[in-house]
Amino acid sequence: IGWWSPVTRGVIPLDGLHVSRSLQKHLKRFSIRVDTCFAQVMKACGDPKRPHGWINLEFIRAYSHLHAMGWAHSVEVFHDDLLVGGVYGVRVGKLFAGESMFHTETDASKIALVFLVEFLLENNFSLLDTQYINDHLKQFGCIEIPNEEYEILLKQALE
């Protein structure tokens, strides 16, 4: 399994999450669970129809092992008991490194991200690493920082 360390890093400042009014209205339509169907979330994120897919069975097995050890976690979004969105990643100290997210219903992955940030804030996390930045994450306040700055934040999160 490859390991990537980009020159610049995407992070969502936990005190800078932006949630639109329209998304706030949709929050009540869904129910949220944590760590109840980790492998299902990974499989959905690894949908082979998604371009540039990198989540294969070997990757799912490795992360499922991390999940069983208590290192990897998922946030799952349900609508009428149907899994419709989610996000998964790895927790180390006060760092959560988000790996991937998916949705099969409008706004479901966004809801997972909002819940994740709220959970991280409530539990005194200091760093939400998104690895890369894209337009989807920018709408939530994701910023790009140099790797040197990231390493300082990472060290603080791991202390």
Side-chain angles (χ1 to χ4, degrees):
I1 294 175
W3 185 263
W4 306 102
S5 181
V7 176
T8 57
R9 203 75 177 200
V11 298
I12 296 178
L14 295 175
D15 60 353
L17 180 70
H18 177 264
V19 182
S20 69
R21 287 186 186 160
S22 62
L23 183 59
Q24 288 175 355
K25 292 177 186 175
H26 292 282
L27 290 171
K28 294 178 181 137
R29 285 186 11 204
F30 300 98
S31 61
I32 308 295
R33 301 178 195 165
V34 176
D35 288 338
T36 64
C37 52
F38 181 83
Q40 281 180 267
V41 170
M42 281 200 73
K43 287 175 187 169
C45 289
D47 182 347
K49 293 177 269 184
R50 292 177 75 177
H52 312 294
W54 47 273
I55 302 171
N56 58 30
L57 288 178
E58 180 184 12
F59 202 81
I60 293 171
R61 276 195 292 273
Y63 271 73
S64 292
H65 185 67
L66 288 174
H67 175 68
M69 294 169 54
W71 293 92
H73 302 278
S74 61
V75 173
E76 306 119 11
V77 179
F78 288 83
H79 188 208
D80 297 331
D81 287 327
L82 179 66
L83 179 65
V84 295
V87 60
Y88 80 93
V90 176
R91 172 195 180 173
V92 182
K94 297 297 181 182
L95 157 76
F96 189 86
E99 292 291 330
S100 188
M101 53 191 198
F102 84 97
H103 72 278
T104 58
E105 198 169 302
T106 303
D107 292 335
S109 63
K110 295 174 185 178
I111 302 294
L113 184 60
V114 169
F115 179 87
L116 174 63
V117 170
E118 290 173 355
F119 176 85
L120 297 177
L121 277 170
E122 289 171 7
N123 290 279
N124 297 314
F125 278 69
S126 61
L127 184 57
L128 174 52
D129 177 358
T130 64
Q131 298 171 29
Y132 297 97
I133 189 169
N134 58 35
D135 290 339
H136 178 73
L137 293 172
K138 280 182 187 178
Q139 67 183 307
F140 293 99
C142 188
I143 60 171
E144 197 169 52
I145 61 173
N147 199 46
E148 298 80 25
E149 184 179 339
Y150 173 78
E151 288 181 13
I152 292 167
L153 294 174
L154 178 61
K155 184 177 179 183
Q156 293 169 350
L158 298 179
E159 288 178 348

